[in-house]
Amino acid sequence: MGKSWKNPHKVAAAAKKGAAISKLAKEITVAAKLGGGDPDANSRLRLAINSARAESVPKDTIERAVKKGTGELDDGKAIEEVMYEGYGPHQVGVLVECQTDNRARTAPDIRYIFKKSGGLMGEQGSVVWMFERVGLVEGTGPADKSFDPEEEAIEAGANEVEKSENEDGLFSFYTEPEEVDSVQKALKERGWEIKTAELSYQAKNKTEDLSEEQKNEVYEFLDALDDNEDTSRIHTTI
């Protein structure tokens, strides 16, 4: 799953393996629910399954998650996507996308993390105006040839491209929301390995002039959000 932030100081995942598997299974369920259970016809599901396999998620867990999303398996717990908005430390704008089967559990948990950090979880619409809805395609370029990222973005039809500061060889391509599929297909045809292809949010203006100490406080807050069992994606102005 894609993120709009990366903590350069976080070396190992804080969540235990069981929690990580649960998050991956939720993403598979939501993807199957929205786009059907055929990964060949549902790019979000295909990427979710690939991510799960990369983390050694058991095959039967993946299959159950798909069946739950398509309605073939009903355990009485419907997973839905919800988003919470707020300001973290030093007025950093944050959007938190969650996948939950219990809003009454998730909302207080997210609110507490905001409050503990000195931030504030706001009402719907209080922060989202600081972001643009975009398509996001993340991938690594062909290993057997040199390439110009800007040229690759132009050829694939992306609006812009950024190189990851924390993951070698990873580039983020931003597109119009309706062009995610066409851009990822174009990049794949050009030899790129696609890691993420989804709708996302991009900050209109970045929060700047933070000291290293302030940045670390923000990263600690974002880590706490990321470790919550219901959090799926986080977008921030940092």
Side-chain angles (χ1 to χ4, degrees), residues 150-192:
E150 294 289 344
E151 182 179 340
E152 294 293 298
I154 293 172
E155 292 296 327
N159 294 335
E160 59 180 290
V161 60
E162 292 180 355
K163 183 178 181 180
S164 171
E165 296 180 359
N166 309 294
E167 191 168 341
D168 287 343
L170 185 70
F171 290 84
S172 297
F173 295 85
Y174 293 97
T175 77
E176 298 299 325
E178 64 274 10
E179 294 178 355
V180 173
D181 283 341
S182 64
V183 170
Q184 75 153 324
K185 288 177 182 177
L187 288 171
K188 192 172 182 179
E189 290 174 356
R190 296 178 66 82
W192 286 72

mmCIF file of all heavy atoms in Angstrom, residues 150-192:
data_model
loop_
_atom_site.group_PDB
_atom_site.id
_atom_site.type_symbol
_atom_site.label_atom_id
_atom_site.label_comp_id
_atom_site.label_asym_id
_atom_site.label_seq_id
_atom_site.Cartn_x
_atom_site.Cartn_y
_atom_site.Cartn_z
ATOM 1 N N GLU A 150 12.080 11.814 -15.888
ATOM 2 C CA GLU A 150 11.193 12.832 -16.450
ATOM 3 C C GLU A 150 10.669 12.387 -17.819
ATOM 4 O O GLU A 150 9.483 12.559 -18.132
ATOM 5 C CB GLU A 150 11.932 14.170 -16.577
ATOM 6 C CG GLU A 150 12.341 14.804 -15.257
ATOM 7 C CD GLU A 150 11.141 15.331 -14.470
ATOM 8 O OE1 GLU A 150 10.055 15.472 -15.068
ATOM 9 O OE2 GLU A 150 11.295 15.600 -13.265
ATOM 10 N N GLU A 151 11.546 11.814 -18.609
ATOM 11 C CA GLU A 151 11.131 11.324 -19.923
ATOM 12 C C GLU A 151 10.161 10.159 -19.778
ATOM 13 O O GLU A 151 9.180 10.053 -20.530
ATOM 14 C CB GLU A 151 12.362 10.881 -20.728
ATOM 15 C CG GLU A 151 12.012 10.399 -22.138
ATOM 16 C CD GLU A 151 13.236 10.001 -22.923
ATOM 17 O OE1 GLU A 151 14.347 10.441 -22.561
ATOM 18 O OE2 GLU A 151 13.081 9.245 -23.910
ATOM 19 N N GLU A 152 10.421 9.291 -18.804
ATOM 20 C CA GLU A 152 9.530 8.159 -18.564
ATOM 21 C C GLU A 152 8.137 8.650 -18.169
ATOM 22 O O GLU A 152 7.120 8.094 -18.609
ATOM 23 C CB GLU A 152 10.095 7.257 -17.461
ATOM 24 C CG GLU A 152 11.385 6.550 -17.826
ATOM 25 C CD GLU A 152 11.179 5.519 -18.922
ATOM 26 O OE1 GLU A 152 10.431 4.556 -18.725
ATOM 27 O OE2 GLU A 152 11.778 5.703 -20.009
ATOM 28 N N ALA A 153 8.089 9.693 -17.360
ATOM 29 C CA ALA A 153 6.802 10.253 -16.938
ATOM 30 C C ALA A 153 6.042 10.809 -18.128
ATOM 31 O O ALA A 153 4.827 10.592 -18.272
ATOM 32 C CB ALA A 153 7.025 11.344 -15.893
ATOM 33 N N ILE A 154 6.742 11.513 -18.996
ATOM 34 C CA ILE A 154 6.111 12.086 -20.180
ATOM 35 C C ILE A 154 5.581 10.991 -21.088
ATOM 36 O O ILE A 154 4.440 11.039 -21.560
ATOM 37 C CB ILE A 154 7.109 12.985 -20.942
ATOM 38 C CG1 ILE A 154 7.452 14.228 -20.103
ATOM 39 C CG2 ILE A 154 6.533 13.404 -22.299
ATOM 40 C CD1 ILE A 154 8.565 15.064 -20.678
ATOM 41 N N GLU A 155 6.404 9.979 -21.336
ATOM 42 C CA GLU A 155 6.011 8.894 -22.232
ATOM 43 C C GLU A 155 4.826 8.096 -21.682
ATOM 44 O O GLU A 155 3.993 7.602 -22.426
ATOM 45 C CB GLU A 155 7.195 7.956 -22.476
ATOM 46 C CG GLU A 155 8.327 8.565 -23.283
ATOM 47 C CD GLU A 155 7.902 8.919 -24.699
ATOM 48 O OE1 GLU A 155 7.046 8.211 -25.263
ATOM 49 O OE2 GLU A 155 8.415 9.920 -25.247
ATOM 50 N N ALA A 156 4.757 8.000 -20.349
ATOM 51 C CA ALA A 156 3.680 7.220 -19.738
ATOM 52 C C ALA A 156 2.412 8.039 -19.529
ATOM 53 O O ALA A 156 1.357 7.486 -19.232
ATOM 54 C CB ALA A 156 4.148 6.655 -18.398
ATOM 55 N N GLY A 157 2.526 9.365 -19.670
ATOM 56 C CA GLY A 157 1.360 10.220 -19.502
ATOM 57 C C GLY A 157 1.147 10.716 -18.088
ATOM 58 O O GLY A 157 0.051 11.171 -17.741
ATOM 59 N N ALA A 158 2.190 10.643 -17.234
ATOM 60 C CA ALA A 158 2.097 11.143 -15.859
ATOM 61 C C ALA A 158 2.349 12.639 -15.825
ATOM 62 O O ALA A 158 3.015 13.197 -16.704
ATOM 63 C CB ALA A 158 3.093 10.419 -14.964
ATOM 64 N N ASN A 159 1.823 13.286 -14.791
ATOM 65 C CA ASN A 159 1.999 14.731 -14.657
ATOM 66 C C ASN A 159 3.359 15.103 -14.082
ATOM 67 O O ASN A 159 3.950 16.119 -14.454
ATOM 68 C CB ASN A 159 0.900 15.314 -13.762
ATOM 69 C CG ASN A 159 -0.472 15.199 -14.393
ATOM 70 O OD1 ASN A 159 -0.602 15.122 -15.609
ATOM 71 N ND2 ASN A 159 -1.507 15.181 -13.566
ATOM 72 N N GLU A 160 3.835 14.287 -13.134
ATOM 73 C CA GLU A 160 5.135 14.553 -12.518
ATOM 74 C C GLU A 160 5.678 13.281 -11.890
ATOM 75 O O GLU A 160 4.949 12.290 -11.720
ATOM 76 C CB GLU A 160 5.036 15.660 -11.457
ATOM 77 C CG GLU A 160 4.086 15.362 -10.321
ATOM 78 C CD GLU A 160 4.036 16.485 -9.307
ATOM 79 O OE1 GLU A 160 5.042 16.670 -8.594
ATOM 80 O OE2 GLU A 160 2.999 17.160 -9.222
ATOM 81 N N VAL A 161 6.962 13.318 -11.538
ATOM 82 C CA VAL A 161 7.601 12.152 -10.943
ATOM 83 C C VAL A 161 8.542 12.614 -9.847
ATOM 84 O O VAL A 161 9.168 13.669 -9.941
ATOM 85 C CB VAL A 161 8.364 11.338 -12.016
ATOM 86 C CG1 VAL A 161 9.438 12.182 -12.685
ATOM 87 C CG2 VAL A 161 8.966 10.070 -11.406
ATOM 88 N N GLU A 162 8.618 11.828 -8.774
ATOM 89 C CA GLU A 162 9.521 12.109 -7.673
ATOM 90 C C GLU A 162 10.301 10.851 -7.324
ATOM 91 O O GLU A 162 9.750 9.746 -7.356
ATOM 92 C CB GLU A 162 8.748 12.563 -6.421
ATOM 93 C CG GLU A 162 8.072 13.912 -6.535
ATOM 94 C CD GLU A 162 7.330 14.281 -5.266
ATOM 95 O OE1 GLU A 162 7.273 13.425 -4.342
ATOM 96 O OE2 GLU A 162 6.816 15.400 -5.184
ATOM 97 N N LYS A 163 11.567 11.015 -6.976
ATOM 98 C CA LYS A 163 12.377 9.885 -6.534
ATOM 99 C C LYS A 163 12.266 9.747 -5.028
ATOM 100 O O LYS A 163 12.327 10.740 -4.300
ATOM 101 C CB LYS A 163 13.846 10.099 -6.936
ATOM 102 C CG LYS A 163 14.747 8.927 -6.573
ATOM 103 C CD LYS A 163 16.178 9.173 -7.042
ATOM 104 C CE LYS A 163 17.071 7.980 -6.697
ATOM 105 N NZ LYS A 163 18.468 8.201 -7.150
ATOM 106 N N SER A 164 12.102 8.530 -4.567
ATOM 107 C CA SER A 164 12.029 8.290 -3.132
ATOM 108 C C SER A 164 13.365 8.618 -2.480
ATOM 109 O O SER A 164 14.423 8.264 -2.991
ATOM 110 C CB SER A 164 11.659 6.827 -2.851
ATOM 111 O OG SER A 164 11.784 6.541 -1.479
ATOM 112 N N GLU A 165 13.308 9.281 -1.324
ATOM 113 C CA GLU A 165 14.528 9.608 -0.589
ATOM 114 C C GLU A 165 14.973 8.447 0.298
ATOM 115 O O GLU A 165 16.080 8.453 0.813
ATOM 116 C CB GLU A 165 14.299 10.847 0.278
ATOM 117 C CG GLU A 165 13.994 12.106 -0.516
ATOM 118 C CD GLU A 165 13.765 13.306 0.378
ATOM 119 O OE1 GLU A 165 13.827 13.133 1.616
ATOM 120 O OE2 GLU A 165 13.525 14.405 -0.141
ATOM 121 N N ASN A 166 14.098 7.464 0.479
ATOM 122 C CA ASN A 166 14.373 6.436 1.476
ATOM 123 C C ASN A 166 14.350 5.015 0.935
ATOM 124 O O ASN A 166 14.661 4.084 1.663
ATOM 125 C CB ASN A 166 13.355 6.543 2.621
ATOM 126 C CG ASN A 166 13.259 7.956 3.161
ATOM 127 O OD1 ASN A 166 14.207 8.471 3.727
ATOM 128 N ND2 ASN A 166 12.122 8.596 2.950
ATOM 129 N N GLU A 167 13.973 4.848 -0.318
ATOM 130 C CA GLU A 167 13.923 3.504 -0.897
ATOM 131 C C GLU A 167 14.599 3.545 -2.255
ATOM 132 O O GLU A 167 14.111 4.173 -3.192
ATOM 133 C CB GLU A 167 12.470 3.031 -1.020
ATOM 134 C CG GLU A 167 12.338 1.559 -1.357
ATOM 135 C CD GLU A 167 10.913 1.064 -1.189
ATOM 136 O OE1 GLU A 167 10.117 1.718 -0.503
ATOM 137 O OE2 GLU A 167 10.596 0.003 -1.778
ATOM 138 N N ASP A 168 15.727 2.871 -2.360
ATOM 139 C CA ASP A 168 16.532 2.911 -3.574
ATOM 140 C C ASP A 168 15.749 2.444 -4.802
ATOM 141 O O ASP A 168 15.096 1.404 -4.787
ATOM 142 C CB ASP A 168 17.767 2.021 -3.406
ATOM 143 C CG ASP A 168 18.793 2.628 -2.469
ATOM 144 O OD1 ASP A 168 18.700 3.837 -2.209
ATOM 145 O OD2 ASP A 168 19.677 1.881 -1.991
ATOM 146 N N GLY A 169 15.834 3.254 -5.840
ATOM 147 C CA GLY A 169 15.251 2.872 -7.119
ATOM 148 C C GLY A 169 13.760 3.077 -7.250
ATOM 149 O O GLY A 169 13.194 2.823 -8.308
ATOM 150 N N LEU A 170 13.096 3.555 -6.185
ATOM 151 C CA LEU A 170 11.646 3.724 -6.233
ATOM 152 C C LEU A 170 11.289 5.140 -6.682
ATOM 153 O O LEU A 170 11.842 6.118 -6.179
ATOM 154 C CB LEU A 170 11.028 3.457 -4.862
ATOM 155 C CG LEU A 170 9.495 3.481 -4.818
ATOM 156 C CD1 LEU A 170 8.929 2.268 -5.553
ATOM 157 C CD2 LEU A 170 8.998 3.513 -3.377
ATOM 158 N N PHE A 171 10.357 5.229 -7.632
ATOM 159 C CA PHE A 171 9.872 6.517 -8.120
ATOM 160 C C PHE A 171 8.352 6.577 -7.977
ATOM 161 O O PHE A 171 7.660 5.565 -8.129
ATOM 162 C CB PHE A 171 10.255 6.719 -9.591
ATOM 163 C CG PHE A 171 11.727 6.934 -9.814
ATOM 164 C CD1 PHE A 171 12.595 5.859 -9.911
ATOM 165 C CD2 PHE A 171 12.238 8.218 -9.915
ATOM 166 C CE1 PHE A 171 13.951 6.049 -10.113
ATOM 167 C CE2 PHE A 171 13.602 8.431 -10.129
ATOM 168 C CZ PHE A 171 14.459 7.337 -10.221
ATOM 169 N N SER A 172 7.858 7.771 -7.675
ATOM 170 C CA SER A 172 6.414 7.999 -7.561
ATOM 171 C C SER A 172 5.961 8.859 -8.733
ATOM 172 O O SER A 172 6.471 9.966 -8.935
ATOM 173 C CB SER A 172 6.087 8.709 -6.237
ATOM 174 O OG SER A 172 6.436 7.915 -5.135
ATOM 175 N N PHE A 173 5.011 8.350 -9.507
ATOM 176 C CA PHE A 173 4.437 9.075 -10.628
ATOM 177 C C PHE A 173 3.040 9.549 -10.241
ATOM 178 O O PHE A 173 2.212 8.751 -9.786
ATOM 179 C CB PHE A 173 4.352 8.177 -11.867
ATOM 180 C CG PHE A 173 5.680 7.738 -12.404
ATOM 181 C CD1 PHE A 173 6.335 6.627 -11.885
ATOM 182 C CD2 PHE A 173 6.296 8.442 -13.435
ATOM 183 C CE1 PHE A 173 7.559 6.211 -12.373
ATOM 184 C CE2 PHE A 173 7.523 8.044 -13.938
ATOM 185 C CZ PHE A 173 8.160 6.926 -13.407
ATOM 186 N N TYR A 174 2.781 10.849 -10.413
ATOM 187 C CA TYR A 174 1.475 11.412 -10.079
ATOM 188 C C TYR A 174 0.693 11.673 -11.362
ATOM 189 O O TYR A 174 1.235 12.213 -12.335
ATOM 190 C CB TYR A 174 1.643 12.697 -9.270
ATOM 191 C CG TYR A 174 2.222 12.440 -7.901
ATOM 192 C CD1 TYR A 174 3.581 12.589 -7.656
ATOM 193 C CD2 TYR A 174 1.407 12.022 -6.849
ATOM 194 C CE1 TYR A 174 4.120 12.336 -6.396
ATOM 195 C CE2 TYR A 174 1.934 11.770 -5.593
ATOM 196 C CZ TYR A 174 3.283 11.927 -5.374
ATOM 197 O OH TYR A 174 3.816 11.665 -4.129
ATOM 198 N N THR A 175 -0.570 11.282 -11.350
ATOM 199 C CA THR A 175 -1.400 11.365 -12.543
ATOM 200 C C THR A 175 -2.748 11.983 -12.203
ATOM 201 O O THR A 175 -3.074 12.216 -11.040
ATOM 202 C CB THR A 175 -1.662 9.955 -13.108
ATOM 203 O OG1 THR A 175 -2.674 9.305 -12.303
ATOM 204 C CG2 THR A 175 -0.421 9.099 -13.075
ATOM 205 N N GLU A 176 -3.540 12.220 -13.237
ATOM 206 C CA GLU A 176 -4.945 12.531 -13.003
ATOM 207 C C GLU A 176 -5.607 11.263 -12.444
ATOM 208 O O GLU A 176 -5.209 10.151 -12.793
ATOM 209 C CB GLU A 176 -5.627 12.945 -14.308
ATOM 210 C CG GLU A 176 -5.064 14.199 -14.942
ATOM 211 C CD GLU A 176 -5.207 15.419 -14.048
ATOM 212 O OE1 GLU A 176 -6.224 15.508 -13.324
ATOM 213 O OE2 GLU A 176 -4.297 16.272 -14.067
ATOM 214 N N PRO A 177 -6.600 11.414 -11.559
ATOM 215 C CA PRO A 177 -7.212 10.230 -10.925
ATOM 216 C C PRO A 177 -7.697 9.177 -11.910
ATOM 217 O O PRO A 177 -7.559 7.974 -11.656
ATOM 218 C CB PRO A 177 -8.377 10.838 -10.128
ATOM 219 C CG PRO A 177 -7.929 12.219 -9.811
ATOM 220 C CD PRO A 177 -7.158 12.673 -11.022
ATOM 221 N N GLU A 178 -8.232 9.623 -13.036
ATOM 222 C CA GLU A 178 -8.796 8.669 -13.992
ATOM 223 C C GLU A 178 -7.729 8.021 -14.883
ATOM 224 O O GLU A 178 -8.055 7.159 -15.714
ATOM 225 C CB GLU A 178 -9.845 9.356 -14.869
ATOM 226 C CG GLU A 178 -9.319 10.459 -15.763
ATOM 227 C CD GLU A 178 -9.250 11.815 -15.073
ATOM 228 O OE1 GLU A 178 -9.429 11.863 -13.833
ATOM 229 O OE2 GLU A 178 -9.016 12.830 -15.772
ATOM 230 N N GLU A 179 -6.461 8.390 -14.718
ATOM 231 C CA GLU A 179 -5.416 7.874 -15.598
ATOM 232 C C GLU A 179 -4.455 6.902 -14.914
ATOM 233 O O GLU A 179 -3.412 6.556 -15.460
ATOM 234 C CB GLU A 179 -4.638 9.040 -16.209
ATOM 235 C CG GLU A 179 -5.488 9.901 -17.145
ATOM 236 C CD GLU A 179 -4.721 11.077 -17.714
ATOM 237 O OE1 GLU A 179 -3.554 11.276 -17.311
ATOM 238 O OE2 GLU A 179 -5.299 11.801 -18.553
ATOM 239 N N VAL A 180 -4.826 6.443 -13.714
ATOM 240 C CA VAL A 180 -3.944 5.527 -12.977
ATOM 241 C C VAL A 180 -3.668 4.263 -13.786
ATOM 242 O O VAL A 180 -2.509 3.845 -13.941
ATOM 243 C CB VAL A 180 -4.564 5.156 -11.612
ATOM 244 C CG1 VAL A 180 -3.721 4.078 -10.935
ATOM 245 C CG2 VAL A 180 -4.668 6.376 -10.724
ATOM 246 N N ASP A 181 -4.717 3.643 -14.292
ATOM 247 C CA ASP A 181 -4.543 2.384 -15.018
ATOM 248 C C ASP A 181 -3.708 2.554 -16.277
ATOM 249 O O ASP A 181 -2.828 1.735 -16.567
ATOM 250 C CB ASP A 181 -5.912 1.789 -15.381
ATOM 251 C CG ASP A 181 -6.592 1.128 -14.197
ATOM 252 O OD1 ASP A 181 -5.881 0.812 -13.215
ATOM 253 O OD2 ASP A 181 -7.815 0.942 -14.237
ATOM 254 N N SER A 182 -3.976 3.617 -17.044
ATOM 255 C CA SER A 182 -3.244 3.809 -18.293
ATOM 256 C C SER A 182 -1.765 4.098 -18.043
ATOM 257 O O SER A 182 -0.892 3.607 -18.776
ATOM 258 C CB SER A 182 -3.873 4.948 -19.115
ATOM 259 O OG SER A 182 -3.775 6.187 -18.431
ATOM 260 N N VAL A 183 -1.464 4.860 -16.980
ATOM 261 C CA VAL A 183 -0.067 5.170 -16.669
ATOM 262 C C VAL A 183 0.677 3.936 -16.180
ATOM 263 O O VAL A 183 1.809 3.671 -16.599
ATOM 264 C CB VAL A 183 0.021 6.310 -15.630
ATOM 265 C CG1 VAL A 183 1.454 6.466 -15.116
ATOM 266 C CG2 VAL A 183 -0.453 7.628 -16.239
ATOM 267 N N GLN A 184 0.031 3.156 -15.309
ATOM 268 C CA GLN A 184 0.723 1.956 -14.821
ATOM 269 C C GLN A 184 0.952 0.951 -15.945
ATOM 270 O O GLN A 184 2.001 0.299 -16.012
ATOM 271 C CB GLN A 184 -0.046 1.309 -13.661
ATOM 272 C CG GLN A 184 -1.284 0.552 -14.037
ATOM 273 C CD GLN A 184 -1.613 -0.555 -13.035
ATOM 274 O OE1 GLN A 184 -0.714 -1.202 -12.495
ATOM 275 N NE2 GLN A 184 -2.889 -0.779 -12.786
ATOM 276 N N LYS A 185 -0.006 0.837 -16.875
ATOM 277 C CA LYS A 185 0.171 -0.072 -18.005
ATOM 278 C C LYS A 185 1.307 0.399 -18.907
ATOM 279 O O LYS A 185 2.112 -0.414 -19.382
ATOM 280 C CB LYS A 185 -1.134 -0.179 -18.792
ATOM 281 C CG LYS A 185 -2.230 -0.961 -18.078
ATOM 282 C CD LYS A 185 -3.517 -0.971 -18.879
ATOM 283 C CE LYS A 185 -4.622 -1.722 -18.130
ATOM 284 N NZ LYS A 185 -5.924 -1.679 -18.869
ATOM 285 N N ALA A 186 1.361 1.713 -19.139
ATOM 286 C CA ALA A 186 2.418 2.260 -19.986
ATOM 287 C C ALA A 186 3.800 2.035 -19.361
ATOM 288 O O ALA A 186 4.759 1.663 -20.052
ATOM 289 C CB ALA A 186 2.175 3.746 -20.220
ATOM 290 N N LEU A 187 3.900 2.242 -18.062
ATOM 291 C CA LEU A 187 5.176 2.031 -17.376
ATOM 292 C C LEU A 187 5.567 0.550 -17.396
ATOM 293 O O LEU A 187 6.734 0.204 -17.589
ATOM 294 C CB LEU A 187 5.098 2.538 -15.936
ATOM 295 C CG LEU A 187 5.077 4.056 -15.761
ATOM 296 C CD1 LEU A 187 4.772 4.422 -14.309
ATOM 297 C CD2 LEU A 187 6.408 4.683 -16.185
ATOM 298 N N LYS A 188 4.589 -0.305 -17.180
ATOM 299 C CA LYS A 188 4.866 -1.741 -17.191
ATOM 300 C C LYS A 188 5.381 -2.187 -18.556
ATOM 301 O O LYS A 188 6.314 -2.985 -18.654
ATOM 302 C CB LYS A 188 3.592 -2.510 -16.827
ATOM 303 C CG LYS A 188 3.826 -3.976 -16.524
ATOM 304 C CD LYS A 188 2.570 -4.637 -15.986
ATOM 305 C CE LYS A 188 2.825 -6.096 -15.643
ATOM 306 N NZ LYS A 188 1.609 -6.750 -15.089
ATOM 307 N N GLU A 189 4.791 -1.637 -19.614
ATOM 308 C CA GLU A 189 5.235 -1.963 -20.968
ATOM 309 C C GLU A 189 6.653 -1.460 -21.235
ATOM 310 O O GLU A 189 7.366 -2.012 -22.078
ATOM 311 C CB GLU A 189 4.269 -1.361 -21.993
ATOM 312 C CG GLU A 189 2.897 -2.043 -22.020
ATOM 313 C CD GLU A 189 1.914 -1.341 -22.930
ATOM 314 O OE1 GLU A 189 2.282 -0.273 -23.484
ATOM 315 O OE2 GLU A 189 0.790 -1.847 -23.104
ATOM 316 N N ARG A 190 7.070 -0.429 -20.487
ATOM 317 C CA ARG A 190 8.406 0.133 -20.644
ATOM 318 C C ARG A 190 9.411 -0.549 -19.706
ATOM 319 O O ARG A 190 10.554 -0.097 -19.594
ATOM 320 C CB ARG A 190 8.377 1.640 -20.407
ATOM 321 C CG ARG A 190 7.534 2.392 -21.439
ATOM 322 C CD ARG A 190 7.478 3.896 -21.141
ATOM 323 N NE ARG A 190 8.772 4.532 -21.295
ATOM 324 C CZ ARG A 190 9.291 4.921 -22.444
ATOM 325 N NH1 ARG A 190 8.619 4.722 -23.579
ATOM 326 N NH2 ARG A 190 10.484 5.504 -22.496
ATOM 327 N N GLY A 191 8.979 -1.619 -19.045
ATOM 328 C CA GLY A 191 9.895 -2.403 -18.233
ATOM 329 C C GLY A 191 9.908 -2.090 -16.753
ATOM 330 O O GLY A 191 10.758 -2.595 -16.013
ATOM 331 N N TRP A 192 8.956 -1.267 -16.290
ATOM 332 C CA TRP A 192 8.909 -0.919 -14.872
ATOM 333 C C TRP A 192 8.203 -2.003 -14.072
ATOM 334 O O TRP A 192 7.249 -2.624 -14.546
ATOM 335 C CB TRP A 192 8.184 0.412 -14.677
ATOM 336 C CG TRP A 192 9.000 1.604 -15.096
ATOM 337 C CD1 TRP A 192 9.309 1.969 -16.371
ATOM 338 C CD2 TRP A 192 9.620 2.550 -14.237
ATOM 339 N NE1 TRP A 192 10.085 3.099 -16.362
ATOM 340 C CE2 TRP A 192 10.288 3.478 -15.063
ATOM 341 C CE3 TRP A 192 9.670 2.717 -12.853
ATOM 342 C CZ2 TRP A 192 10.996 4.552 -14.539
ATOM 343 C CZ3 TRP A 192 10.376 3.789 -12.330
ATOM 344 C CH2 TRP A 192 11.037 4.699 -13.178
#
